[in-house]
DNA sequence: AACGCGTGGTG
DNA sequence: TCACCAAGCGT
């Protein structure tokens, strides 16, 4: 058996990273104790959830999913709606749709076992170059180095890569691979990720605590924080719209969004288009026709929300509908008391909370 | 090859 | 405050 100490005796940055990792590795819900084999299902589930999402946000979702669906086969037997309900609030909902599709594929086409090669994993829905390499290395010990945002940052600093992202990606991938030791590929990758998350942070990196600071070109230059080089990104224009909350006794009127695109497949209250140049009258004119509902009342204030590519402000209207009022075509009544379990994105939770306030 | 795609934390 | 960003992927 090769241990970190053995690697350390041979010297080099890969070994130094593993020595550091064995002492400082984070304890995470999806990470087994040191030396214990990882469960491919747990690795895959966590990697999908962690895409562009913080460890803190993922924690409770990972625990919920593992408790309800302990295996990929169990998850593959769940309905997409149930998966979306459990995913609600975590964002990037195409991940949930692909997660379900992937579980079905693994259960039905691979006998409930994940492919153990990078290429095999890469073919699964929602599994791209990073995730395929991460699962291959962490769950199956394959000699490959996944490159995520953390590792991009660590490597771009270590070598002071001047090229701007994403042009620098191939070079960084190449350099990252040199940090793989002769064994423990998964730990090598996780060491770099932990280093990026705790020491080599985007702002104010703690270089004094870094196990490889002597090797770091950016550290020597004193401008580690300026890596990786990136072009400034443009912020989207504010969009405006209206949301309509119809109350019938202890229920509220809901509908489902189309399966693809923004908040695809998720549940919402009826609402208008969201346009950058739309006045209140135009938005209000898109209220649903609910037979028997009394007049709309505009709630004071607005609900503000920020998506990746644009900020949004919604005006909220409420109306009361008499008992027995029929839901318009494609809509349904749901009890307010059980909304917590619905596939409502946080934007819609804000809207409903504002309406009931 | 850019762009669309959520949400919450941070300096 | 607000721009940035977090274990990216699909198109």
């Amino acid at each position: 058996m090769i241990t970190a100490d053995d690697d350390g005796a041979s010297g080099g940055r890969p070994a130094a990273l593993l020595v550091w990792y064995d002492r400082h590795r984070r304890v995470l819900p999806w990470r087994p104790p040191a030396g214990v084999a990882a469960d491919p299902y747990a690795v895959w589930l966590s990697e999908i959830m962690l895409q562009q999402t913080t460890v803190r946000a993922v924690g409770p979702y990972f625990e919920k999913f593992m408790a309800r669906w302990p295996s990929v086969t169990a998850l593959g037997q769940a309905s997409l709606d149930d998966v979306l309900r459990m995913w609600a609030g975590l964002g990037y909902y195409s991940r949930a749709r692909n997660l379900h599709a992937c579980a079905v594929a693994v259960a039905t086409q691979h006998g409930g076992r994940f492919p153990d090669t990078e290429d095999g994993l890469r073919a699964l829905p929602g599994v791209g170059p990073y995730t395929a390499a991460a699962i291959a290395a962490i769950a199956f010990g394959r000699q490959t180095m996944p490159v995520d945002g953390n590792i991009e940052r660590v490597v771009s600093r270590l070598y002071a890569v001047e090229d701007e992202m994403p042009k620098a990606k191939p070079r960084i991938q190449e350099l990252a691979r040199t940090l793989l030791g002769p064994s423990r590929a998964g730990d090598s990758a996780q060491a770099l990720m932990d280093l990026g998350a705790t020491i080599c942070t985007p702002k104010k990196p703690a270089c004094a605590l870094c196990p490889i600071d002597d090797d770091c070109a950016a550290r020597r230059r004193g401008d580690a924080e300026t890596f990786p080089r990136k072009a400034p990104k443009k912020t989207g224009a504010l969009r405006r719209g209206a949301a309509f909350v119809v109350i019938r006794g202890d229920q509220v009127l809901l509908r489902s969004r189309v399966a693809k695109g923004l908040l695809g497949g998720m549940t919402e209250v009826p609402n208008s288009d969201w346009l950058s140049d739309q006045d209140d009258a135009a938005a209000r004119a898109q209220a649903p026709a609910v037979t028997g509902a009394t007049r709309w009342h505009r709630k004071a204030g607005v609900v503000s929300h920020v998506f990746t590519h644009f900020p949004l402000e919604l005006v909220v209207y409420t109306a009361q509908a008499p008992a027995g009022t029929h839901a318009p075509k494609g809509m349904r009544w749901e009890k307010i008391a059980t909304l917590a379990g619905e596939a409502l994105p946080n934007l819609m939770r804000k809207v409903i909370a504002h309406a009931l306030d």
Side-chain angles (χ1 to χ4, degrees):
Chain A
M1 162 161 184
I2 299 175
T3 68
D5 285 339
D6 294 333
D7 291 343
S10 68
R13 283 168 295 196
L17 284 166
L18 287 172
V19 169
W20 176 85
Y21 183 68
D22 287 338
R23 177 170 307 206
H24 298 289
R25 70 200 289 275
R26 289 176 291 173
V27 174
L28 301 171
W30 45 88
R31 189 179 276 180
V36 176
D39 168 15
Y41 172 63
V43 173
W44 163 74
L45 179 60
S46 66
E47 289 298 343
I48 300 299
M49 288 182 166
L50 286 162
Q51 291 169 4
Q52 298 292 283
T53 307
T54 58
V55 163
R56 172 182 306 208
V58 165
Y61 283 85
F62 176 82
E63 304 277 21
K64 283 194 310 182
F65 270 71
M66 288 299 288
R68 178 152 177 191
W69 299 299
S71 69
V72 67
T73 304
L75 181 57
Q77 289 168 346
S79 72
L80 174 58
D81 279 347
D82 279 346
V83 172
L84 289 177
R85 277 190 274 271
M86 289 286 274
W87 194 279
L90 197 54
Y92 284 139
Y93 298 101
S94 68
R95 292 184 297 169
R97 289 179 258 129
N98 285 329
L99 184 86
H100 182 256
C102 183
V104 170
V106 170
T108 64
Q109 297 169 28
H110 299 275
R113 291 177 175 275
F114 280 87
D116 64 357
T117 66
E118 213 171 332
D119 284 348
L121 290 159
R122 181 68 184 78
L124 295 168
V127 178
Y130 162 76
T131 305
I135 299 172
I138 297 170
F140 298 114
R142 298 287 182 178
Q143 281 291 311
T144 184
M145 179 60 86
V147 178
D148 72 332
N150 286 307
I151 298 181
E152 266 174 7
R153 187 170 57 255
V154 171
V155 170
S156 67
R157 288 173 178 175
L158 199 57
Y159 294 93
V161 177
E162 292 289 353
D163 284 341
E164 229 173 49
M165 298 296 295
K167 182 171 177 291
K169 276 179 180 288
R171 176 64 179 152
I172 291 175
Q173 171 69 252
E174 185 180 300
L175 293 168
R177 205 168 195 306
T178 69
L179 298 175
L180 261 184
S183 64
R184 300 181 64 190
D187 285 347
S188 293
Q190 292 179 95
L192 286 174
M193 290 188 244
D194 279 20
L195 187 65
T198 63
I199 307 284
C200 195
T201 49
K203 295 180 181 176
K204 298 186 182 299
C207 297
L209 301 179
C210 180
I212 54 176
D213 69 323
D214 284 347
D215 293 332
C216 184
R219 156 78 150 154
R220 285 195 293 273
R221 298 158 45 125
D223 62 350
E225 192 172 323
T226 67
F227 294 92
R229 306 286 197 227
K230 284 184 183 178
K233 57 178 73 169
K234 43 205 161 189
T235 61
L238 173 68
R239 301 186 197 181
R240 301 175 193 279
F244 306 97
V245 179
V246 188
I247 308 295
R248 189 186 76 168
D250 61 351
Q251 298 172 316
V252 63
L253 188 64
L254 298 181
R255 67 185 185 189
S256 293
R257 293 177 65 87
V258 294
K260 292 182 183 299
L262 185 65
L263 306 177
M266 300 298 285
T267 299
E268 65 180 5
V269 299
N271 59 89
S272 72
D273 293 334
W274 305 340
L275 304 173
S276 51
D277 49 1
Q278 177 166 240
D279 60 31
D280 286 353
R284 176 170 178 163
Q286 297 171 50
V290 184
T291 307
T294 54
R295 21 197 298 243
W296 296 108
H297 297 277
R298 176 176 168 171
K299 299 292 291 189
V302 296
V303 170
S304 296
H305 195 75
V306 180
F307 291 102
T308 306
H309 49 304
F310 66 93
L312 174 68
E313 282 183 7
L314 292 180
V315 170
V316 178
Y317 294 92
T318 62
Q320 297 290 328
T325 299
H326 206 276
K329 182 176 171 58
M331 304 189 195
R332 59 186 184 273
W333 300 106
E334 295 287 353
K335 287 206 169 188
I336 293 168
T338 54
L339 289 182
E342 293 295 326
L344 289 163
N346 280 2
L347 164 63
M348 291 299 154
R349 294 181 188 275
K350 286 190 206 173
V351 166
I352 293 169
H354 189 249
L356 300 180
D357 186 43

